[in-house]
């Protein structure tokens, strides 16, 4: 696997950090190198949040993603999308929550913008909005093919309470389903 660099953005409290932590831990379990680096704005809950994830078979010497080298971004809040989108390489993929993120026409020309209603899926189909980080995890892995699905799912289950395992498995399956459909439509 070559190096994969991802960015998840949202606002404090949306769970983007958990998805980054799961990706990094799974890559390490696989025997590679995984780093997640989180940045918060001055407001923790409700302020823009970004987590950069680097997955590589070789050691990663610099913990922060370099702007212009990010392959994939997923955003569930417009404030963080606007603040951090320019780190994605031209032609890269950005998955957005269309009810909350508003890309410009120029953005749509510069990047491959995919609309998937991540929060709606978590809230209405899974039945628990807190599972949006796992929906996002599945979407990101379906697009990037960064890690073996079972390894990622097992790592995810090790990071969430046992009482919500079934909900999170449902969230992963739905995220994967919607991402697969979006890829087929592209």
């Amino acid at each position: 696997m070559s190096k994969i660099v991802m960015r998840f953005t949202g606002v404090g409290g949306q769970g983007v950090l958990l998805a980054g932590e799961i990706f990094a831990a799974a890559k390490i379990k696989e025997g590679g190198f995984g780093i997640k680096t989180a940045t918060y704005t001055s407001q923790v809950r409700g302020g823009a949040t970004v987590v950069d994830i680097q997955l590589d078979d070789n050691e990663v010497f610099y913990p922060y993603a370099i702007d212009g080298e990010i392959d994939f971004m997923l955003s569930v809040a417009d404030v963080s999308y606007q603040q951090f989108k320019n780190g994605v390489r031209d032609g890269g993929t950005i998955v957005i929550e269309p009810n909350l993120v508003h890309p410009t026409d120029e953005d749509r020309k510069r990047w491959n913008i995919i609309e998937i209603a991540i929060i709606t899926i978590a809230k209405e189909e899974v039945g628990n909005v807190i599972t949006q980080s796992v929906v996002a995890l599945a979407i990101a892995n379906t697009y990037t093919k960064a890690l073996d699905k079972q390894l990622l799912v097992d790592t995810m289950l090790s990071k969430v309470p046992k009482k919500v395992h079934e909900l999170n498995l449902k969230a992963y399956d739905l995220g994967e389903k919607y991402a697969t459909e979006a890829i087929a439509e592209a």
Side-chain angles (χ1 to χ4, degrees), residues 126-128 131 163-172:
V126 180
N128 189 330
T131 63
K163 68 181 180 182
V164 292
H165 278 195
E166 288 305 314
L167 272 180
N168 281 288
L169 288 169
K170 183 176 181 182
Y172 192 95

Side-chain angles (χ1 to χ4, degrees), residues 39-94:
T39 305
Y40 310 87
T41 54
S42 57
Q43 295 175 275
V44 175
R45 198 167 277 285
T49 304
V50 61
V51 60
D52 289 338
I53 305 137
Q54 297 183 70
L55 307 174
D56 204 335
D57 292 332
N58 300 309
E59 192 169 354
V60 178
F61 292 103
Y62 185 69
Y64 296 95
I66 298 169
D67 280 356
E69 294 185 6
I70 296 163
D71 305 301
F72 176 91
M73 183 170 110
L74 185 142
S75 188
V76 291
D78 198 58
V79 64
S80 59
Y81 168 80
Q82 299 300 338
Q83 189 170 349
F84 298 110
K85 66 184 179 183
N86 288 316
V88 179
R89 68 173 171 74
D90 288 351
T93 297
I94 302 177

Side-chain angles (χ1 to χ4, degrees), residues 10-175:
V11 294
Q14 285 186 312
V16 296
L17 300 179
L18 177 61
E21 183 179 325
I22 293 167
F23 264 117
K27 183 62 182 175
I28 292 166
K29 280 185 183 179
E30 185 185 68
F33 296 87
I35 294 178
K36 97 157 150 100
T37 309
T39 305
Y40 310 87
T41 54
S42 57
Q43 295 175 275
V44 175
R45 198 167 277 285
T49 304
V50 61
V51 60
D52 289 338
I53 305 137
Q54 297 183 70
L55 307 174
D56 204 335
D57 292 332
N58 300 309
E59 192 169 354
V60 178
F61 292 103
Y62 185 69
Y64 296 95
I66 298 169
D67 280 356
E69 294 185 6
I70 296 163
D71 305 301
F72 176 91
M73 183 170 110
L74 185 142
S75 188
V76 291
D78 198 58
V79 64
S80 59
Y81 168 80
Q82 299 300 338
Q83 189 170 349
F84 298 110
K85 66 184 179 183
N86 288 316
V88 179
R89 68 173 171 74
D90 288 351
T93 297
I94 302 177
V95 173
I96 61 163
E97 164 57 70
N99 300 307
L100 299 172
V101 178
H102 312 291
T104 66
D105 289 340
E106 287 303 311
D107 292 350
R108 292 181 186 280
K109 290 175 188 167
R110 184 174 175 191
W111 298 294
N112 177 29
I113 305 282
I114 307 296
E115 298 182 6
I116 300 176
I118 299 158
I119 294 172
T120 303
I121 294 165
K123 191 174 181 180
E124 295 178 10
E125 293 190 49
V126 180
N128 189 330
V129 73
I130 225 83
T131 63
Q132 69 180 301
S133 60
V134 176
V135 173
L137 181 80
I139 291 168
N141 200 51
T142 302
Y143 267 91
T144 63
K145 298 177 179 35
L147 294 166
D148 174 74
K149 174 186 173 179
Q150 195 58 54
L151 172 67
L152 196 60
V153 167
D154 290 346
T155 304
M156 177 268 295
L157 291 174
S158 76
K159 301 275 183 195
V160 300
K162 199 172 200 94
K163 68 181 180 182
V164 292
H165 278 195
E166 288 305 314
L167 272 180
N168 281 288
L169 288 169
K170 183 176 181 182
Y172 192 95
D173 288 344
L174 284 167

